[in-house]
Amino acid sequence: MNRTILITGGAGFIGSHVVRLFVNKYSNYNIINLDKLTYAGNLANLKDVEDKPNYKFIKEDICDFDAILKIFRQHAIDGVIHLAAESHVDRSIKDPFTFAKTNVIGTLSLLQASKQCWEDNFDEKLFYHISTDEVYGALKFDNTLFTEQTKYDPHSPYSASKASSDHFVRAFHDTYGLPVIITNCSNNYGPYQFPEKLIPLFINNIRRKKPLPVYGKGENVRDWLFVEDHARAIDIIFHRGKTGDTYNIGGFNEWSNIDLIKVIIKTVDRLLCNKEGESDDLITYVTDRAGHDLRYAIDSTKLKEELGWEPSLQFEEGIEKTVRWYLDNQKWMDDVTSGEYEKYYTTMYRDR
Ligand code: NAD
Ligand code: DAU
């Protein structure tokens, strides 16, 4: 079946992996990557697919409802995979308004455009909203996991804005019958992640022999999933998930920050042929993040039992692959940290 799918936030970390997967796997789909290119959007993430005939990039802000409606009509969009968001917790603490605007109003604008364009016939249409495990709040140090039934309890402005967007998505399903699916995923890692997030930031700082700022005691726990496994889950759920449902996606792979940081240090030192333990002294304990959630851990049993998805990579393999990628792609990292990447759009896309 031919389809035209709008992927929002496709120039970001996870979005670029989803765009790449869909463009390469489904030559009968038109994939439109709509992205505002904020600081987190980088078209260099998609260099390998930018000339494919089934790929198109549109620079637009999801909050601009009139522009979004026009794009829906012009391109006869029949599926949306919505990833565009402000995604970094520390930024949300400094600037909550931007998070409310992009994550709530932006999502609402996409929902409203979908409803207006599809309401005569919802058959074969789908609004797939990508959310986070952070909406569930924080777990204690015990064996509990977030399930699809866990009550929402967001703590940061970021997670509050994502929770709010999830509620709007469900409201559009319950009120107007819009076909929707929501997934809540745990922490992703892998190539092309913006180096404000723990793993790429620390890999780069070790390479440059800069301090590694560990928040609080480094005891907080996250459940890490390789980004390509997330993209594969999105593909399966987009095609076979049950409309109106929620699926949790996670790695069954919990690490305290400090243990994870030690693995990163060891791997980077080994791959750079540094002396064992050479970078241990870079660890610097700093003031904790305000409202820092203690532990996240996802139960993705529903996704495994209903749709057969499970993580494909062992963490040791995934982290080795990730560290190697950042060390082999120093130009990508240096362009991002110097701001050079922001010129890419102007030179590559101005005349298209
Ligand atoms: P990211 O910050 O790397 O990328 C976000 C993208 O959205 C960027 O390309 C940015 O330019 C674009 N964008 C931001 N505001 C926009 C706007 N107003 N209009 C159009 N585009 C805009 O984020 P990510 O880490 O790839 O996360 C993608 C999605 O997945 C987010 O919705 C996030 O909440 C969710 N998520 C992320 C993780 C994770 O570990 N990174 C885990 C679970 C869920
Ligand atoms: O759980 C899913 C979420 O994972 C996504 O929804 C978010 O978009 C994504 O950013 C991520 O949120 P976290 O806050 O967990 O990720 P971050 O990489 O910022 O931090 C991971 C952990 O490491 C967290 O406990 C805070 C800590 N940390 C982070 C940084 C950047 C440090 O100790 N030092 C740091 O410098």
Side-chain angles (χ1 to χ4, degrees):
M1 183 179 138
N2 295 323
R3 303 194 65 165
T4 300
I5 299 170
L6 184 72
I7 300 183
T8 70
F13 166 47
I14 303 172
S16 63
H17 289 275
V18 176
V19 166
R20 178 176 297 100
L21 176 67
F22 273 67
V23 167
N24 287 332
K25 187 166 171 185
Y26 301 106
S27 55
N28 55 328
Y29 290 2
N30 291 315
I31 301 300
I32 300 181
N33 169 16
L34 184 146
D35 199 297
K36 182 182 173 184
L37 298 183
T38 66
Y39 79 94
N42 182 356
L43 286 172
N45 297 355
L46 287 166
K47 257 186 184 160
D48 54 326
V49 296
E50 67 188 8
D51 291 324
K52 300 263 173 154
N54 61 337
Y55 172 73
K56 183 177 177 60
F57 172 71
I58 299 177
K59 184 176 186 310
E60 194 49 81
D61 183 345
I62 54 169
C63 300
D64 185 340
F65 174 69
D66 293 339
I68 295 294
L69 189 60
K70 205 166 147 196
I71 290 164
F72 263 73
R73 294 203 166 121
Q74 196 177 350
H75 296 280
I77 305 294
D78 53 31
V80 174
I81 305 178
H82 174 35
L83 296 113
E86 289 292 336
S87 69
H88 192 42
V89 174
D90 294 331
R91 285 181 190 257
S92 82
I93 295 167
K94 292 200 185 91
D95 175 20
F97 278 109
T98 303
F99 281 69
K101 187 167 179 222
T102 297
N103 298 357
V104 186
I105 304 297
T107 301
L108 182 56
S109 142
L110 289 162
L111 286 165
Q112 183 71 5
S114 308
K115 173 188 158 280
Q116 273 185 226
C117 293
W118 298 347
E119 64 193 341
D120 289 344
N121 181 6
F122 281 141
D123 291 350
E124 311 291 348
K125 309 288 195 303
L126 181 63
F127 188 99
Y128 180 173
H129 178 61
I130 307 298
S131 190
T132 170
D133 60 358
E134 300 202 12
V135 299
Y136 297 126
L139 296 166
K140 299 195 178 69
F141 288 137
D142 55 20
N143 292 327
T144 49
L145 301 172
F146 295 133
T147 72
E148 288 81 1
Q149 280 71 48
T150 303
K151 257 179 59 186
Y152 275 32
D153 183 21
H155 297 140
S156 71
Y158 164 66
S159 53
S161 68
K162 290 297 288 187
S164 173
S165 67
D166 293 9
H167 291 320
F168 269 106
V169 174
R170 290 201 180 91
F172 268 66
H173 175 261
D174 296 350
T175 306
Y176 308 112
L178 189 77
V180 306
I181 290 181
I182 299 177
T183 53
N184 297 85
C185 189
S186 64
N187 285 61
N188 285 217
Y189 71 98
Y192 301 113
Q193 187 168 30
F194 195 84
E196 62 188 348
K197 308 283 165 57
L198 181 77
I199 292 184
L201 175 72
F202 277 37
I203 295 172
N204 195 42
N205 282 11
I206 298 167
R207 175 169 75 89
R208 294 177 164 192
K209 302 201 180 306
K210 285 170 65 179
L212 306 175
V214 181
Y215 297 165
K217 295 183 194 144
E219 63 184 351
N220 305 66
V221 170
R222 298 291 182 265
D223 171 2
W224 293 94
L225 177 68
F226 191 63
V227 62
E228 289 177 11
D229 273 333
H230 187 189
R232 200 168 44 78
I234 291 173
D235 176 19
I236 292 170
I237 294 163
F238 181 79
H239 289 97
R240 295 197 280 118
K242 192 161 155 246
T243 302
D245 263 22
T246 293
Y247 297 87
N248 279 355
I249 309 173
F252 286 112
N253 178 42
E254 291 181 50
W255 286 82
S256 72
N257 291 340
I258 194 65
D259 287 345
L260 172 70
I261 289 161
K262 286 178 183 161
V263 172
I264 296 171
I265 291 176
K266 235 180 155 168
T267 313
V268 177
D269 274 346
R270 178 169 46 79
L271 292 176
L272 288 180
C273 302
N274 293 340
K275 265 202 331 259
E276 202 181 328
E278 181 172 318
S279 303
D280 291 355
D281 290 346
L282 296 175
I283 291 180
T284 310
Y285 290 92
V286 299
T287 308
D288 207 354
R289 173 185 277 174
H292 198 173
D293 285 333
L294 189 63
R295 174 174 164 253
Y296 304 144
I298 276 277
D299 181 354
S300 49
T301 307
K302 172 178 172 179
L303 180 55
K304 182 175 179 191
E305 288 182 350
E306 289 189 13
L307 300 176
W309 176 91
E310 56 188 331
S312 71
L313 273 192
Q314 290 298 315
F315 185 66
E316 290 66 23
E317 202 184 331
I319 202 75
E320 172 94 13
K321 227 173 139 165
T322 301
V323 172
R324 269 187 199 281
W325 188 87
Y326 285 102
L327 296 180
D328 289 349
N329 289 273
Q330 289 182 11
K331 179 159 168 37
W332 180 91
M333 179 62 86
D334 292 343
D335 283 353
V336 171
T337 50
S338 69
E340 189 65 23
Y341 73 108
E342 286 171 311
K343 295 186 189 146
Y344 192 75
Y345 171 77
T346 339
T347 49
M348 290 303 294
Y349 280 86
R350 192 179 34 211
D351 302 325
R352 291 192 179 197

